[in-house]
Amino acid sequence: MSTSALHREKISVPRLIAKKVRGEKIACLTAYDWTMARLLDEAGIDLILIGDSAAMVFAGQETTLTMTMDEMLYHTRVVSRGVKNALVITDMPFLSYQVNPDEAVRNAGRFLQQGGADGVKVEGGVHMVETIRRLTDIGIPVMGHLGLTPQSIRSFGNYRLRGKSSKEADQIFEAARKITEAGVFSMVLEKIPSELARRISEEVGVPTIGIGAGPHCDGQILVTNDMLGLFEDFKPKFVRRYANLAETIRSAAADYASDVRDGDYPSTEESF
Ligand code: KIV
């Protein structure tokens, strides 16, 4: 690890936006617990997202819809505690911001006040404009999320590419312009064609962070459990595995079990 990664300054929202202006790519990952958050921060990750993907990869649920405010607050608190430098953004869970802007303000405020987050992420386009405006007006940084928005999985019916038809591509492009006008400091573009992500990234002044959206975004994000090879059930095309931790963990646990059963652990040196 480089010393510059160890002695970085805290990334603020203006510093993140400045990276886009300078043409520096932004590296983002998800975290759900203190240990992982600390490691990712030490590695120099720019933005750590407490994703509601925790419902699936941390808690074994089928969708993100089951995530509650209390659960997200817990994950946010433990992740924030582990991070010194990265910008910490937390997902607002399903139904915590869609009912009305007042509830969204109250819930988003809890993530900053009680969770230690630097900002929140909300899914959705034009219908989210009023809420985004209310939050940003009172100083709560908001990240948008367009394209495949997992909280809408029951209406989409599947996790396929969004924005493939020119009609849907135009809707996503328009939504990107509108949420930018409303004040988002950045937006996730999930599973849309590269060309659409390029058009949006050139159009909006805030960093676009892609996941399955090709190389033209200002930054990239992956679910950490996917890129570390902890989640093996399936591998989306856009995921690159940088490690095979599932195998490493299974093998370490099996070695330990065999040592215990054979009486090889603990040794005299490991005993008092
Ligand atoms: O919940 C999540 O992890 C996310 C990322 C995939 C962007 O929203």
Side-chain angles (χ1 to χ4, degrees):
M1 189 195 314
S2 73
T3 20
S4 62
L6 286 171
H7 301 290
R8 292 178 316 140
E9 271 180 59
K10 167 80 184 167
I11 308 245
S12 59
V13 162
R15 283 170 68 104
L16 196 86
I17 296 172
K19 282 181 181 285
K20 173 169 179 137
V21 176
R22 289 197 299 268
E24 279 173 34
K25 293 277 188 184
I26 300 166
C28 315
L29 283 172
T30 64
Y32 317 110
D33 66 76
W34 177 84
T35 305
M36 188 63 79
R38 218 159 71 121
L39 293 172
L40 302 183
D41 194 45
E42 285 169 3
I45 293 300
D46 298 307
L47 181 154
I48 294 179
L49 173 74
I50 301 112
D52 60 357
S53 51
M56 299 169 81
V57 298
F58 181 90
Q61 299 279 6
E62 196 201 324
T63 71
T64 59
L65 298 174
T66 56
M67 193 48 105
T68 65
M69 270 301 294
D70 285 346
E71 288 165 343
M72 278 308 288
L73 260 175
Y74 175 74
H75 286 292
T76 304
R77 267 200 303 272
V78 298
V79 166
S80 302
R81 213 174 286 146
V83 176
K84 287 201 177 78
N85 300 117
L87 191 69
V88 175
I89 302 301
T90 199
D91 256 338
M92 294 203 66
F94 181 57
L95 280 192
S96 70
Y97 61 102
Q98 293 96 336
V99 177
N100 62 55
D102 286 343
E103 258 189 56
V105 167
R106 212 174 302 284
N107 286 326
R110 289 181 73 197
F111 284 122
L112 273 67
Q113 193 172 54
Q114 299 164 23
D118 297 313
V120 297
K121 174 162 83 56
V122 301
E123 295 184 8
V126 179
H127 59 288
M128 273 300 126
V129 160
E130 191 191 340
T131 298
I132 293 168
R133 209 166 266 135
R134 282 283 302 282
L135 292 170
T136 52
D137 275 355
I138 60 161
I140 298 180
V142 181
M143 185 176 207
H145 186 155
L146 300 173
L148 176 61
T149 45
Q151 290 178 15
S152 300
I153 188 58
R154 294 297 184 223
S155 356
F156 291 156
N158 58 56
Y159 287 98
R160 283 195 220 120
L161 190 72
R162 309 305 304 180
K164 220 172 148 187
S165 70
S166 60
K167 183 170 170 229
E168 202 179 52
D170 287 349
Q171 279 166 357
I172 295 171
F173 184 80
E174 203 39 41
R177 282 169 27 96
K178 288 266 160 59
I179 65 170
T180 306
E181 274 166 30
V184 294
F185 72 87
S186 174
M187 70 186 75
V188 167
L189 299 177
E190 179 162 355
K191 224 165 169 196
I192 61 170
S194 303
E195 186 49 28
L196 174 58
R198 187 188 61 70
R199 277 177 56 213
I200 294 173
S201 304
E202 286 173 6
E203 172 73 14
V204 301
V206 298
T208 57
I209 307 297
I211 172 162
H216 307 297
C217 294
D218 302 303
Q220 298 291 327
I221 186 161
L222 282 174
V223 169
T224 296
N225 297 49
D226 288 340
M227 60 81 77
L228 292 181
L230 276 167
F231 183 75
E232 295 175 305
D233 296 9
F234 62 89
K235 189 182 93 56
K237 170 181 155 114
F238 59 82
V239 168
R240 186 180 293 178
R241 281 200 183 137
Y242 287 85
N244 189 356
L245 290 196
E247 193 40 48
T248 306
I249 291 170
R250 266 194 302 266
S251 153
D255 287 351
Y256 163 76
S258 128
D259 283 355
V260 170
R261 287 175 194 136
D262 295 346
D264 285 345
Y265 176 81
S267 65
T268 330
E269 293 75 40
E270 288 157 334
S271 306
F272 298 97

